[in-house]
Every structure is written in C-alpha cells, then in structure tokens.
Amino acid sequence: MAEPLQAVKGMNDILPPESARWEWLEDTVRALMRRYGYRNIRTPIVEPTPLFVRGLGEVTDIVEKEMYSFIDSMNGDPLTLRPENTAGVVRAAIEHSMLYDGGKRLFYIGPMFRHEKPQRGRYRQFHQVGVEALGFGGPETDAEVILMARALWRDLGLAEVRLEINSLGLLDERKAHRAALIAHFEANAELLDAEAKRRLHRNPLRILDTKNPAMQDLVDAAPQLIGFLGEASLKHFDAVRSALAAVGQPFTVNPRLVRGMDYYTHTVFEWITPRLGAQGTICGGGRYDGLVEMIGGRPAPGVGWGMGLERVLDLLQQSGIDGPASAPDAYAVLPDAAALGPAIAAVEALRAVGLSVVMHAGGAAGLGSMKSQFKKADASGARHALVFGGNELAQGMVAVKPLRDAAAPQVLRPLATLADWAQELRTA
Ligand code: ATP
Ligand code: MG
C-alpha cells in the first residue's frame, strides 16, 4: 500500500457529525445577515500579494510573518492565500464600481490562511464570517455592525461575551500620538525588547500590543491616543457609545485596544469571551475610512468585523450548545430485493415533501439480514425504521417502527395516502 498522506499541519478536515454544527452556525449567520440587510459577496481565495501589503500595512504581524505567499510558476505573479477578507472585498468593490450609487452592506463566509503556530483556537486554515459596510461614514453604522454580532450571540444562545471598544481617531491624530509614543519609548529605550526596538520607528503603535509581561509597565505609562483625538473624532466615538448605551449593551473602553491592521480609523472593537483562554477574541473589527483610497479607489468610508468560526464553535461547545439534531427522520429497511421498487417510490415521495430518509444500501452480495439492517438503521440515528416487508406491501402498506422509544408500538401506514401521515415521521 502507498504511504498514507496527511492534511497540511494546522489545516483541519471538518467531518460529520461536526460539520452539522458548522452548517447550523452558518445558517444562523445567513438568517441574521438577511435581517440586517447585508448581502453575500464571494471573492477569490487567492489575491495579488500587493493587495495585502498595501491594504494591511507592511509592518503588521500578518504581512511580516503570517502570509502564504508564492509566485505563480506559470507567469511569475506574486500571489497570496487571503489571510483576511476586508482587503479582497474592498478590491472587488472598487473593481466593480459597487459604490457608485451609494453604500453597500456586504458579508462573506469562508476560509482564511495564516502561517501561525497551530494551537487551540489558532489554525493555519481557519474560517471567518465577516461584514463590511462600505460607503457609510456615520457612527450609526459602527453601532449597527457591533450590534449585529450581539444579535448573533443571542441567536446562538451564547452568554459570556463582552465588548471592548476604543477609538483610533484620524490619521493626523494618530501621527501626533505616534510622535509622542516614540518619544516615550526612546526615553526608556533600555526597557524595550528586540521586537519593540525593531518596531519603534516603523510601527510604534504595535508595541502597545506586546505580549511581553516585562514591558507592561512601560506600555501602561505610554501616552494614550484618546488624548490626541480632535473634536470630530471624539464626537464620532461619543455617538457610538451613546448608541450602545441606548440598547443597553455594556462595554469597556480599552485605550490599549489597537488591533492588528494599519487600516483602522475611529472605532475599533473586540468581542471577547473568558472561556477560551488566550484565544478569547471571537470577533474583532472597526472602521477603516482610509482603506478604499489605499487600495486605489475613490475615498469612501467603511466599517466591519471578522469573526472566527472555530472559536465560536468552541465556545458553543464549552457552553453546552449543540444546535438542532441532524439525524434522519427515517431509515428504509428492505427485507427482500423485490421490495426495492415500491420502497424507492415511497422514499422518494417522502423526501419530496421534505423528510430526511436514508435508504438501506447493501453490499455486492445483497441487502444483508434484517438484523444487520436494523443495526444500521439504529446507528443512523433515525427516529423511525420504515419496513417494506412483502406481506405489508401486498396490502399496500408499510410498517413504521419507532427506533428511539421502546414503548411506542409499530404501526402500519397505507402507501397510497403517504402525504397524510408523512409529517408524523418528522423528527421533533
Ligand atoms: P489574534 O489576536 O487572536 O491573533 P487577530 O487580531 O489576528 O486575532 P483578526 O485578524 O482580527 O484576528 O481576525 C478576526 C477573528 O478571526 C479573530 O478575532 C479570531 O476569532 C479569528 N482568527 C484570527 N486568526 C485566527 C487563526 N489563526 N485561527 C483561528 N481563528 C483566527
Ligand atoms: Mg493574529
């Protein structure tokens, strides 16, 4: 036998029954998007590398060390597996002039790729749902997208997710803050670690994001961006906070919240759960009013978030939330090959009215004994077995045998009036 091959490290197969939980989550997300007027966008998984270098910023974790970048061997083009999808959505919006007649509310679901150290909640292929509200500059849209995430927690039955927000202001305000930050860190240069030294003049804001405990005091004493915000930025931030207060959504303002990408302006936020340890951020986002221009479009504002599905699913599991059962309603048992014709007709008719029915499948040697068929019916999780026995079929009947309730009796049902009794098979 040939050597078995394995999936790429940090990239997971999602198998049944686990995949049913994914489908439930995705269905819940799609229903939510409809309620808020967000429409689906599907962009390619591979994009030109410069899109991310330009869009995310050269001195970001993602661009510096997490991208799956390669050269297309056919034509030499630099390409990258998307590490996130805001840049791709904005590229598509520009390329197709989507904003010519006003703003667009968009969402996506799909795989993202980052070369990180695989661990719980951190994979090399992972999946995000994201929303992007493009062309809307007002604080009401910041509040809208933040509250969409809250609505999803509610739809899923998740508690224990808290909201942190901050404002990064405008570019000029960030520049003034940046100069003050550099001065602060330069005055304490002996306390900086190697990574911080490297970032000092390239991206000092990222030093605030350090995970090095030895630098915590220095970071805590650093000048805060909020002190550099002008009137308009403060007004925007106030309006977002008022909107959240108006719907009773608690939040903490975390002045250290800076987020990974360069493109953010004004509001940034994270939804965090204490239940997943260091990978507790299940959703993060913010406003990015400069990004469309950075990617080559006419200036237009935007705000959105990305949510890690693996982390949300982990939290659902931690919280004991399973989603609806995905077992079939019925399993068709065939005592004899002669039953195949009427059985298949009945099973197709049941499926046509929306029931989930699994048809027994035998091996090359035949259908197998009744005992082995019932074993398979049981293992399928089906609520009922439909037994297409010769005697019953001769009377135009099928036997319906409950599999999950030992006390419930087997009953005979007429095939001719199948539509009348089909609904009683439906798994509650
Ligand atoms: P972190 O600080 O955990 O690295 P991030 O700031 O890099 O997160 P974003 O780029 O904002 O994350 O992506 C949005 C969401 O996608 C995160 O909040 C998280 O839920 C999820 N996510 C990010 N990277 C991964 C990964 N490697 N594996 C699984 N989920 C991820
Ligand atoms: Mg990261």
Side-chain angles (χ1 to χ4, degrees):
M1 259 202 302
E3 186 83 4
L5 295 168
Q6 286 179 342
V8 175
K9 187 176 173 204
M11 304 198 181
N12 301 311
D13 298 311
I14 300 161
L15 312 174
E18 175 65 10
S19 53
R21 303 178 63 242
W22 282 78
E23 291 185 298
W24 168 60
L25 174 56
E26 289 162 1
D27 289 348
T28 308
V29 164
R30 289 196 181 91
L32 172 99
M33 296 299 165
R34 259 194 305 281
R35 280 174 8 235
Y36 281 81
Y38 282 64
R39 295 192 296 172
N40 187 222
I41 181 166
R42 303 176 186 221
T43 59
I45 284 168
V46 178
E47 294 277 1
T49 301
L51 173 68
F52 302 113
V53 177
R54 235 201 272 176
L56 306 186
E58 224 162 316
V59 197
T60 52
D61 278 352
I62 292 180
V63 172
E64 276 186 335
K65 53 188 188 204
E66 294 175 1
M67 293 209 301
Y68 280 92
S69 296
F70 57 98
I71 300 295
D72 183 334
S73 62
M74 301 296 171
N75 59 12
D77 288 347
L79 302 177
T80 294
L81 300 185
R82 64 185 188 191
E84 58 93 63
N85 205 28
T86 300
V89 168
V90 168
R91 179 205 45 72
I94 297 168
E95 191 168 333
H96 304 287
S97 306
M98 289 175 70
L99 301 181
Y100 82 99
D101 62 345
K104 292 285 175 291
R105 292 180 170 86
L106 304 168
F107 81 95
Y108 56 80
I109 306 183
M112 308 294 157
F113 301 83
R114 298 186 192 177
H115 203 282
E116 303 196 73
K117 186 164 169 271
Q119 55 196 287
R120 179 179 180 192
R122 200 174 287 290
Y123 308 99
R124 290 181 173 172
Q125 174 173 333
F126 63 101
H127 299 77
Q128 280 185 349
V129 166
V131 301
E132 313 294 351
L134 297 177
F136 303 104
E140 62 280 359
T141 312
D142 306 38
E144 174 173 290
V145 299
I146 292 172
L147 293 174
M148 288 173 78
R150 171 174 90 153
L152 183 62
W153 315 143
R154 291 186 169 180
D155 290 352
L156 294 171
L158 283 174
E160 282 204 85
V161 196
R162 60 187 181 78
L163 175 63
E164 288 192 359
I165 64 173
N166 190 22
S167 173
L168 303 183
L170 294 168
L171 199 60
D172 282 347
E173 295 155 2
R174 282 163 73 172
K175 275 190 187 150
H177 172 247
R178 181 190 149 106
L181 261 188
I182 292 177
H184 169 75
F185 287 128
E186 273 179 340
N188 297 280
E190 72 284 357
L191 298 173
L192 298 178
D193 63 17
E195 187 176 61
K197 281 190 180 127
R198 198 170 49 79
R199 286 187 158 147
L200 183 56
H201 290 279
R202 299 185 74 192
N203 194 347
L205 205 62
R206 296 285 292 145
I207 300 179
L208 300 177
D209 228 9
T210 182
K211 285 171 180 126
N212 181 356
M215 283 181 43
Q216 222 49 61
D217 287 347
L218 182 64
V219 159
D220 286 343
Q224 295 191 353
L225 180 48
I226 198 125
F228 292 78
L229 297 189
E231 206 179 317
S233 292
L234 288 172
K235 200 173 149 216
H236 186 103
F237 195 36
D238 278 347
V240 175
R241 286 185 293 184
S242 305
L244 295 174
V247 295
Q249 172 57 46
F251 57 87
T252 23
V253 175
N254 173 1
R256 295 281 168 244
L257 183 64
V258 293
R259 311 244 339 112
M261 278 67 111
D262 273 4
Y263 53 55
Y264 288 113
T265 52
H266 289 301
T267 321
V268 289
F269 55 86
E270 290 188 350
W271 286 96
I272 303 168
T273 175
R275 289 197 169 209
L276 300 179
Q279 270 64 250
T281 301
I282 56 176
C283 174
R287 177 163 283 287
Y288 46 85
D289 291 347
L291 182 63
V292 177
E293 200 177 2
M294 272 161 70
I295 293 183
R298 285 189 23 215
V303 59
W305 48 248
M307 179 183 293
L309 293 185
E310 284 81 357
R311 292 186 193 179
V312 173
L313 285 161
D314 193 354
L315 178 58
L316 284 164
Q317 196 152 34
Q318 295 299 309
S319 311
I321 301 168
D322 279 339
S326 61
D329 298 311
Y331 187 103
V333 169
L334 305 177
D336 189 283
L340 184 59
I344 237 171
V347 164
E348 284 295 298
L350 290 169
R351 290 167 175 160
V353 296
L355 294 184
S356 162
V357 187
V358 173
M359 181 74 173
H360 177 72
L367 292 163
S369 68
M370 287 289 276
K371 193 175 162 204
S372 78
Q373 291 196 40
F374 272 110
K375 227 168 143 179
K376 286 183 178 151
D378 200 47
S380 76
R383 175 73 76 83
H384 306 91
L386 299 175
V387 190
F388 292 93
N391 292 340
E392 289 84 357
L393 284 175
Q395 304 165 52
M397 306 289 259
V398 58
V400 177
K401 181 178 158 60
L403 294 175
R404 307 291 147 202
D405 180 357
Q410 174 172 313
V411 290
L412 285 179
R413 295 288 178 221
L415 289 171
T417 58
L418 176 143
D420 294 341
W421 54 266
Q423 288 313 314
E424 70 188 52
L425 295 181
R426 201 181 276 281
T427 305

